[in-house]
Amino acid sequence: MTTSWTSDNNNITTTYTSSTQQVDISVDNLFKDGFAKYFLNDLFADVSIYHVPTNKYYKCHRIILSYRSQFFDHLFNSPFRDSASDVVEVHFDDNDGVFEKVLEFIYSGKVSISTEAIVSLRVAADQLMCEELSKGVLDFLEKFLTNENVFSVLDKSLKVCDDLVLEKACGFLALHFMEIVETFQTICYDLPPQVFFGIIAHENLSKGSIGSDLERRNELISEIVEVYNKKYLVIEDIELLKLCVDALTQNDVLPPDTAIKYLLECDQHDLVEQSAACARVLASNYHNIKDIQLIFKMIPESFCELVSCDDLFIKNEDQVLDLVLQYLEKRGNDLTIEQKENIVKGIRLTFLSFDKLEMIVHSTIPFISEYVSRQDVLNALMERVKRMEKIPFDINDPIDNNLKPRTTRIFTHKTDFDENGILYYLGTAFYTEKYTSPEARGYVKISASCGFESGKTRDLISREPTSCNLINQNNSHITIEFVSILICPNAYTLRHTSARDSECLRNWRLQASTDGDNYIDLKVHSNDGSLKTKSESATWKIDGATEYYKYFRILQDGVNSSNNYYLSMAGFEIYGIVKSILDAEIKPIENYDLDQ
């Protein structure tokens, strides 16, 4: 027979198990102050630490030092050292008087120090291999850094060569760039290139600005970098040029016309990776290039990278054909046959208009037809047949590049209501402004088959939880028309109303249409219990979609979780491939009430 019991009195916990005759006793907070009373105390001391730079001796205890510091643990256990030695020399430089503070932490687990010395304390902790203290300082800096003190922390980390604190400071500066940009401009031109461009390249830079701030941020960075480059002659130094281009292309802060300038410089120095990075920037911002003639100065390899890029932002593939034709007309005499062939391969033949493809087949387009084989044309036509028969395109299929669709904009779901959705893209005016409902901007039109019990049309696609549901009516539906784009969807997200846990969607269909009259089912939900509580969201994959649609509809064709027909929905997002920007007239809604 086994019996056990536990008692807890006066912070002493006792557990007894009769079958093993074992008793576990623990006392809370018994060592909360560590061995603080033995700090700077000769009692039981068995070693003297001689800090050479300050000429000071500290009476210490080997076992305590070894417990908190791997440096001392290795030192006292070294086979190359007399373990009985009474004095150990430490040559760690200590400009801020932190050595004694590290010893205090080793004994007590706590320390009090001025903020001016906090960086030096971490350096000392790192050198003495006191991991708990080092981590504690870094955790403190996460909360301590402000717009006012970050520059002093940055300066101190540079002086004492603390890369971890330097990274913290650079990350903070990147995240709060727009808030501290005026002060940043007063000190940035004296920063080492690795630090300056490290801030520009930091991932936090893309997190700290949205909307109109994003556009202004990019303008400021371009101005600041231009001044910095002139001071340090970056264009003339290959290593600095690589550092600069890598930083500017990391966070999409490089304007397309500036990207061309850097690309041409990289071409001259044979910086292949940097040229390719600039070409990708040009591809995704092709529609914003002001001086298209500069493209024709690109070397063949960089131009090939541009026209081959999946992200080339174009209206249709005919535009690429025309661009390639112009390049070959201007530069053809300087190119090898192989270079011409590689450039022509950048054209996605299967997506050309019938007229253009027919001209290639009949060899009526100069410079192009001679580098397109009959097999290339056959493959393009076969790919068209597959699309006509609605055979899903596998984007991971390793087929020839000129058969793949341009991923002009591929929107991939990561988390519910992230910044990767198509509605967010439209609501930020293509990532250029602060988010406003795309309905207000005129990029979508929303309608409901019946009246609202609560909320408005804009609440149906709200990015924030809100109260919204239609009245109790069978087969009610919500329709979203995308005015300026067509979408081949691969996932979508819904959110339940914030008003109640009840009346969650259970039976509904996601439908799509090209004309607004004839709808097909993309996803059918039957007794789907994904949504259970208020404001809860869920995302579903859409498999097998091969068409591009202009209209999407949520049709509730059965009862909800409360066995009635209230359609409760307060959030919608959709993901997939945006085929093209159409020639549509966008009419923002005047006097759109954003506060209601």
Side-chain angles (χ1 to χ4, degrees), residues 506-508 525-530:
R506 287 292 178 267
N507 302 282
W508 78 96
H525 301 263
S526 180
N527 199 27
D528 188 332
S530 300

Side-chain angles (χ1 to χ4, degrees), residues 32-214:
K32 70 174 183 177
D33 293 323
F35 296 92
K37 71 177 183 179
Y38 296 106
F39 179 54
L40 301 181
N41 189 331
D42 291 351
L43 186 62
F44 306 129
D46 55 3
V47 67
S48 289
I49 304 300
Y50 174 47
H51 187 228
V52 177
T54 58
N55 194 32
K56 289 186 66 175
Y57 286 85
Y58 298 90
K59 289 289 187 179
C60 296
H61 307 77
R62 294 171 186 270
I63 191 170
I64 298 176
L65 295 179
S66 298
Y67 180 70
R68 291 284 189 189
S69 165
Q70 292 185 45
F71 170 82
F72 286 116
D73 185 47
H74 296 331
L75 188 68
F76 295 142
N77 287 287
S78 172
F80 305 105
R81 176 173 188 83
D82 183 3
S83 61
S85 177
D86 294 332
V87 179
V88 173
E89 292 184 359
V90 176
H91 294 267
F92 163 68
D93 290 332
D94 186 11
N95 297 324
D96 289 320
V98 297
F99 179 73
E100 185 173 310
K101 294 295 184 180
V102 177
L103 293 180
E104 182 181 352
F105 179 86
I106 289 174
Y107 274 79
S108 67
K110 60 183 71 173
V111 66
S112 178
I113 193 170
S114 68
T115 55
E116 288 78 6
I118 194 69
V119 178
S120 296
L121 180 65
R122 207 216 68 84
V123 173
D126 190 52
Q127 293 191 356
L128 295 176
M129 301 172 70
C130 186
E131 294 183 4
E132 295 95 341
L133 179 57
S134 178
K135 182 179 183 302
V137 172
L138 290 176
D139 290 344
F140 168 78
L141 285 173
E142 289 280 2
K143 303 174 182 178
F144 171 71
L145 286 176
T146 65
N147 295 349
E148 289 71 32
N149 64 31
V150 65
F151 294 102
S152 62
V153 172
L154 177 71
D155 181 62
K156 188 69 174 182
S157 65
L158 287 170
K159 289 179 179 178
V160 299
C161 301
D162 190 332
D163 290 340
L164 287 178
V165 174
L166 179 62
E167 165 63 20
K168 291 285 185 186
C170 290
F172 185 93
L173 288 169
L175 186 62
H176 300 275
F177 182 82
M178 291 303 292
E179 301 170 22
I180 49 84
V181 64
E182 291 186 7
T183 307
F184 180 75
Q185 286 178 289
T186 64
I187 63 99
C188 69
Y189 305 118
D190 295 322
L191 292 174
Q194 290 77 7
V195 176
F196 176 81
F197 290 117
I199 295 171
I200 303 301
H202 202 286
E203 62 179 358
N204 283 355
L205 195 67
S206 61
K207 302 175 183 177
S209 301
I210 60 173
S212 58
D213 276 353
L214 186 63

Side-chain angles (χ1 to χ4, degrees), residues 380-396:
L381 293 175
M382 289 296 293
E383 195 64 30
R384 286 195 177 193
V385 172
K386 287 172 64 177
R387 292 201 301 275
M388 289 176 61
E389 295 186 359
K390 298 183 179 181
I391 299 175
F393 176 78
D394 183 0
I395 204 162
N396 296 313

Side-chain angles (χ1 to χ4, degrees), residues 366-504:
F367 303 108
I368 301 292
S369 299
E370 58 187 298
Y371 300 109
V372 177
S373 69
R374 290 194 173 275
Q375 186 62 49
D376 292 333
V377 175
L378 179 61
N379 291 341
L381 293 175
M382 289 296 293
E383 195 64 30
R384 286 195 177 193
V385 172
K386 287 172 64 177
R387 292 201 301 275
M388 289 176 61
E389 295 186 359
K390 298 183 179 181
I391 299 175
F393 176 78
D394 183 0
I395 204 162
N396 296 313
D397 187 16
I399 61 175
D400 290 341
N401 193 63
N402 63 2
L403 299 179
K404 294 169 59 179
R406 297 280 180 185
T407 58
T408 304
R409 290 291 179 186
I410 284 190
F411 299 83
T412 304
H413 172 267
K414 290 186 178 180
T415 59
D416 291 359
F417 297 100
D418 51 23
E419 297 181 359
N420 301 318
I422 295 172
L423 284 170
Y424 180 81
Y425 174 64
L426 298 175
T428 57
F430 318 116
Y431 298 139
T432 62
E433 299 178 10
K434 186 177 179 181
Y435 178 85
T436 295
S437 174
E439 183 188 36
R441 293 187 183 278
Y443 289 122
V444 298
K445 296 178 181 178
I446 308 170
S447 60
S449 62
C450 57
F452 285 79
E453 182 191 50
S454 67
K456 297 183 177 182
T457 53
R458 67 92 182 274
D459 296 323
L460 294 168
I461 61 169
S462 174
R463 287 184 56 80
E464 300 296 332
T466 188
S467 175
C468 184
N469 61 271
L470 304 186
I471 61 175
N472 187 14
Q473 186 175 106
N474 192 15
N475 288 319
S476 56
H477 55 80
I478 295 159
T479 303
I480 301 173
E481 175 190 353
F482 288 85
V483 176
S484 62
I485 61 174
L486 299 177
I487 302 169
C488 180
N490 59 30
Y492 80 110
T493 302
L494 290 180
R495 186 199 291 118
H496 186 48
T497 180
S498 66
R500 60 183 70 87
D501 293 333
S502 58
E503 298 176 351
C504 300

